[in-house]
Amino acid sequence: MAGVSTKEIKTRIRSMESTRQITKAMEMVAASKLRRAQAQIQNSRPYFEILSDTIRDIVSSNRDFSSPYLQERPVKKLLYIVIAGDRGLAGGYNSNILKLVQSQIQGKDAVVLPIGKKAVDYFRSHKVPVWTDTYAEAADMDIGDCFSVAKQLSRGFLNGEFDEIHVAYTNFVSVLSQVPATEKLLPLTAEDTKSTGVSSETIYEPDSETVFAAIVPEYLGGIVYGALCESRASEAAARRTAMDSATKNADEMIADLSLKFNRARQAAITQEITEIVAGS
C-alpha cells in the first residue's frame, strides 16, 4: 500500500513540474511582449500629441468655427469599440473590461465593435449587437486597421448612424496595475479642444475647417491605436503576473508533495524493518 502511495505522489510531482515549466515559459514570453508593447506606447505618443495640439489650435484660433464633429445631439444610438484579448490565462484582464462595458450599455440602444476573440465571444453570448467582427484577432490588428476603423466610424457619425462613439480599453499603469477605462471619441467635447493659452499664427490651407475635417479621423485612429497599445501592454503584464503566481503555487505544491513523498517512503521503510524484525 505504501508503494502505491509513493508512486501516486511521484506522478503528481512530475505533473506539477511539467505545469511549472509551462507557466514559467509563458511568464517569460509575456515579459518579452510587455517590453515591446511599452516601446510601442512610447514611440506612438509624439505623433498623436501633435495631431491633438493641431485640433486645439484650430478650434481656439477660430471663434466662429463649427464642425459636425463638435455638435452635441440627443443620444439615441451608442457605439463602443471594445478591446480585449484573444486568449485567457491573464487574470481578470478580459473580464474586467467586458463587465465595465456591459454595465455602461445596460438598458441602452448600443452596438459594439469588438477587438479580440474574448470580446467577440462575450458579446455574442450576451446577445449584444456586433457592428462587425472583422477585427476579431487583436494580435493581428495594426496601425493601418486602427485608421481604417476610425474613418469608417467617422463616416457613420457624420451620417447619423451613431450619436456617440466610445472606446473601452485597459489602461496600463504599471506591471502590477491595469485599470479598465472608457473614453468618448465623438462628438469632441470642449475639454478635448481646450486651448493651451498660446496664440497661434498658423495658416491652414485651403482653410481651417477642411484641415480639421481631415485631421479628426486621423486623430481618432491615433486614439484607437494608443488604446490598443495600452491594452496589449496591460494584457502582457496581467499574464506575466498570473503566470508568476501560478509558478510560485506550483513550487509550493511540489515542495509539499516532496515532503509527503519522503514521509511515505520513510513510513514504508520503517514498516519493512518492523516486519523483518518481527519475522526473525
Side-chain angles (χ1 to χ4, degrees), residues 162-180:
F162 319 111
D163 300 305
E164 276 189 5
I165 299 176
H166 299 252
V167 60
Y169 66 103
T170 305
N171 187 32
F172 177 78
V173 180
S174 68
V175 176
L176 299 177
S177 178
Q178 303 86 41
V179 181

Side-chain angles (χ1 to χ4, degrees), residues 53-54 56-58 60-62 195-205 208:
D53 291 340
T54 303
R56 293 190 183 96
D57 177 70
I58 292 174
S60 62
S61 60
N62 293 269
S195 173
T196 58
V198 179
S199 60
S200 173
E201 299 180 356
T202 305
I203 299 175
Y204 297 98
E205 292 290 344
S208 58

Side-chain angles (χ1 to χ4, degrees), residues 37 82-101 115-119 138-139 168-172 177-181 226-242:
V82 185
I83 305 174
D86 297 323
R87 297 178 296 148
L89 299 177
Y93 167 74
N94 290 308
S95 61
N96 290 340
I97 187 64
L98 296 175
K99 288 179 180 178
L100 175 63
V101 174
I115 298 175
K117 290 182 179 178
K118 292 295 182 180
Y169 66 103
T170 305
N171 187 32
F172 177 78
S177 178
Q178 303 86 41
V179 181
L228 182 65
C229 291
E230 292 277 352
S231 295
R232 283 174 174 170
S234 298
E235 181 182 11
R239 183 167 288 113
R240 179 186 175 186
T241 301

Side-chain angles (χ1 to χ4, degrees), residues 213-265:
I215 285 180
V216 167
E218 301 291 323
Y219 170 69
L220 298 180
I223 294 180
V224 174
Y225 181 68
L228 182 65
C229 291
E230 292 277 352
S231 295
R232 283 174 174 170
S234 298
E235 181 182 11
R239 183 167 288 113
R240 179 186 175 186
T241 301
M243 292 301 100
D244 179 61
S245 178
T247 301
K248 290 179 180 178
N249 290 338
D251 287 335
E252 292 177 0
M253 292 187 68
I254 290 172
D256 183 59
L257 289 171
S258 297
L259 180 61
K260 291 180 178 179
F261 175 79
N262 292 332
R263 286 177 178 174
R265 185 178 61 177

Side-chain angles (χ1 to χ4, degrees), residues 92-139:
Y93 167 74
N94 290 308
S95 61
N96 290 340
I97 187 64
L98 296 175
K99 288 179 180 178
L100 175 63
V101 174
Q102 183 68 34
S103 65
Q104 292 191 4
I105 66 175
Q106 192 72 34
K108 299 178 181 177
D109 185 6
V111 62
V112 298
L113 194 165
I115 298 175
K117 290 182 179 178
K118 292 295 182 180
V120 173
D121 294 341
Y122 178 86
F123 290 112
R124 279 181 175 171
S125 64
H126 285 73
K127 309 299 182 183
V128 177
V130 174
W131 190 56
T132 177
D133 58 358
T134 305
Y135 309 100
E137 294 277 352

Side-chain angles (χ1 to χ4, degrees), residues 261-280:
F261 175 79
N262 292 332
R263 286 177 178 174
R265 185 178 61 177
Q266 186 62 45
I269 294 173
T270 302
Q271 185 174 355
E272 289 179 5
I273 294 175
T274 303
E275 291 173 355
I276 292 171
V277 172
S280 62

